[in-house]
Amino acid sequence: MTTSEGHMPEATDEHIERLKENMEKVEQLSKRLIEVMAGKKAHTPALDGPNQELFARAATAYWAEAWQNPAKLLEQQIEFWGKSVLNFAEAQQALTTGEVEDEDAKPADKRFSNPLWESNPYFRLVRQQYQTNAEAIAQAVASVDDLDAKDRRRLSYFSQQIIDMMSPTNFLPTNPDALQKAVETDGQSLLQGLENLVADLEANDGELVVKLADESAFEVGGNLATTPGDVVYRNRMMELIQYKPATETVFETPIVLFPPWINKFYILDLKAQNSLIKWITEQGYTLFVVSWINPDESYAETGMEDYIRDGFLAAIDEVKKICKVKQVNAVGYCIAGTTLSLTLSLLKQRGDKSIKSATFFTALTDFSEQGEFTPFLQNDFIDGIEEEVTREGVLRSWIMGRTMSFLRSRDLVYGPAIRSYMMGETPPAFDLLFWNGDGANLPAKMSVDYLRGLCQRNEFVSDGIELMGHKLHVKDVDVPLMAITCETDHIAAWKDCYRGVQQMGSRSKTFVVSESGHIAGIVNPPSKKKYGHYTNTDMKADSDSWMKQADFHKGSWWPMWEAWLKKRSGKQIPARDTGDSNHPRLAPAPGTYVVANPNS
């Protein structure tokens, strides 16, 4: 049997019998499937899709346009009918003659890479009609004029989700790859695929969260997050890890790094070859990293102020005590960068100069443009989240993970689901995808504080946000700073980060745009010689002008940042061991919070 030419393999009597046997095993798995779905824990329906008013407004606008300009609607319909009839006619001709005409070159779509999509009349018709339908939907959405910008963006996003969901590759009868493998393996691939599906459902209380990586291949503290260090402080919000020195002397001013609490800190310490944590210690710095608690429902009333007080301020205070210094250099990544800017405003108003310099990794402070998150930051979704967290006490990690995944649904939802559930394949042993699936819950109050006050009302750059008895504002951020952003970041777009940094009060600002995205642009070790970066000292220009005039530098931004940091890190002193008499070593790195599971 061969499929290299795009032919379906032959099915002998022996193969059919084995296929029947495997299909009987499917019944047993089906019982498990029914059981797990019967016990599925409910969640707020509003989290599954937009309020139907969006589609009602779109339909009203569409038909109003059609009433005013019926020729436009007829033109679209006739074009759709014509293409559909032509698709069918070509399929009929191919069935009669056994020959398929070559199509004009079209942009590659890796979903349709199997030769059968071109050579087999059935699959060719299915593909062509799907693409025709997709074009018609996109054209109809684009023709809706009487909607505001946010509704248009949301309509475009959700209609594309429908298009992607209805791809013929997502269904067994119209997926030649899955059908070929089912016949080749006598149905074993389907059996294993169902096993994978049931296992994923059982692991998530009936919620379908597609496993992206082979979890058995990784262990946090085993082959991930292995840079030597110790937990030297712990409270209800975080563990403070001090990493062991890698040089005989270190700079006097320590670094305290705050990672996002949506995911785990070890994205910065996946393996030795790409560990920013290890690299920093090798440059001669005393490094502390915060490892956040993965909260359960007992943290329901924990808000942004708790992350500032018991996270940022507590960590800075303990680092100063351990290192016997008055100042630290602080780093904040993503939401922790946003919160570092809030903390800097608070310290400014208090007259506290504990932070000598600040580095922001892909951190938003101005949310006037919501970018790709626009579909999820409107009231219908936020109302749904508020209802969900009020009931559960936390925003469960799978909800945030699912939202992130659907921003890249072909690569992070449908593609992995096809390989796992239809092809019966084991997910790859990929450390980045393992980390991506190792999310954390978010406290109820913190989720609402962040989504309402910062994302929706954009208070930090408008009238100020009320926290801890102060009205915090972005203009109060006045320490020397460097902002690292990423060119193709779909979570914190560099232009939006730039707009926030422009409004900060610092006299010394360095802004950098790294090639690649939210993770790869940050985890970009110099040894890889992979992604370059852009710099421009003119922070008064708009973002487009800034980029046009920027200088491009080959290679990682890490060495440039280290040269900047060195000037703000004081003299060389003997390397510090971890902890002190008042800060005993509580656990070796990566600590206990990073592996704790509040849902178990």
Side-chain angles (χ1 to χ4, degrees), residues 442-547:
L442 302 179
K445 186 175 186 299
M446 171 263 140
S447 301
V448 176
D449 287 348
Y450 178 74
L451 292 170
R452 295 293 193 196
L454 289 170
C455 295
Q456 282 197 319
R457 294 194 292 268
N458 200 25
E459 292 174 342
F460 189 47
V461 300
S462 54
D463 296 330
I465 185 169
E466 295 279 357
L467 283 174
M468 301 175 69
H470 292 262
K471 182 171 281 192
L472 308 180
H473 198 280
V474 69
K475 68 176 184 244
D476 294 328
V477 178
D478 64 352
V479 301
L481 65 87
M482 179 178 284
I484 312 297
T485 64
C486 300
E487 188 175 16
T488 59
D489 193 334
H490 65 285
I491 294 173
W494 77 264
K495 292 184 179 182
D496 298 334
C497 296
Y498 178 80
R499 191 172 56 252
V501 172
Q502 279 186 307
Q503 298 174 71
M504 293 178 178
S506 305
R507 292 184 178 180
S508 174
K509 302 177 186 178
T510 303
F511 192 83
V512 182
V513 178
S514 173
E515 291 184 307
S516 196
H518 193 70
I519 300 300
I522 298 299
V523 183
N524 181 25
S527 60
K528 296 290 185 182
K529 299 179 180 179
K530 196 169 185 180
Y531 301 118
H533 57 281
Y534 300 88
T535 60
N536 182 354
T537 57
D538 182 8
M539 291 290 295
K540 295 180 180 179
D542 61 47
S543 58
D544 289 333
S545 299
W546 184 95
M547 182 57 79

Side-chain angles (χ1 to χ4, degrees), residues 232 242 321-324 577-585:
V232 294
Q242 182 180 1
K321 291 176 183 176
I322 293 171
C323 295
K324 299 177 176 59
D577 201 356
T578 57
D580 62 17
S581 58
N582 295 317
H583 297 85
R585 299 165 184 164

Side-chain angles (χ1 to χ4, degrees), residues 119-138:
S119 63
N120 184 285
Y122 166 70
F123 288 114
R124 181 185 171 96
L125 173 61
V126 169
R127 174 183 60 80
Q128 288 180 322
Q129 192 58 44
Y130 166 71
Q131 292 171 331
T132 297
N133 294 344
E135 290 171 2
I137 293 172

Side-chain angles (χ1 to χ4, degrees), residues 252-273:
E252 184 176 28
T253 305
I255 299 171
V256 56
L257 192 157
F258 298 94
W261 51 87
I262 294 172
N263 292 99
K264 308 292 181 64
F265 80 89
Y266 65 88
I267 185 59
L268 300 174
D269 192 28
L270 282 179
K271 52 191 175 186
Q273 299 94 315

Side-chain angles (χ1 to χ4, degrees), residues 259-301:
W261 51 87
I262 294 172
N263 292 99
K264 308 292 181 64
F265 80 89
Y266 65 88
I267 185 59
L268 300 174
D269 192 28
L270 282 179
K271 52 191 175 186
Q273 299 94 315
N274 63 2
S275 171
L276 178 61
I277 287 173
K278 182 175 184 291
W279 186 86
I280 290 172
T281 64
E282 291 173 343
Q283 310 314 304
Y285 294 88
T286 301
L287 175 64
F288 294 81
V289 175
V290 165
S291 175
W292 300 102
I293 189 72
N294 188 353
D296 59 18
E297 60 275 8
S298 67
Y299 283 76
E301 293 303 315

Side-chain angles (χ1 to χ4, degrees), residues 296-329:
D296 59 18
E297 60 275 8
S298 67
Y299 283 76
E301 293 303 315
T302 297
M304 292 294 291
E305 65 273 16
D306 296 284
Y307 279 89
I308 294 174
R309 181 187 302 108
D310 297 328
F312 287 76
L313 298 181
I316 291 166
D317 189 45
E318 299 305 322
V319 169
K320 291 195 300 180
K321 291 176 183 176
I322 293 171
C323 295
K324 299 177 176 59
V325 294
K326 294 182 178 180
Q327 289 185 305
V328 305
N329 290 316

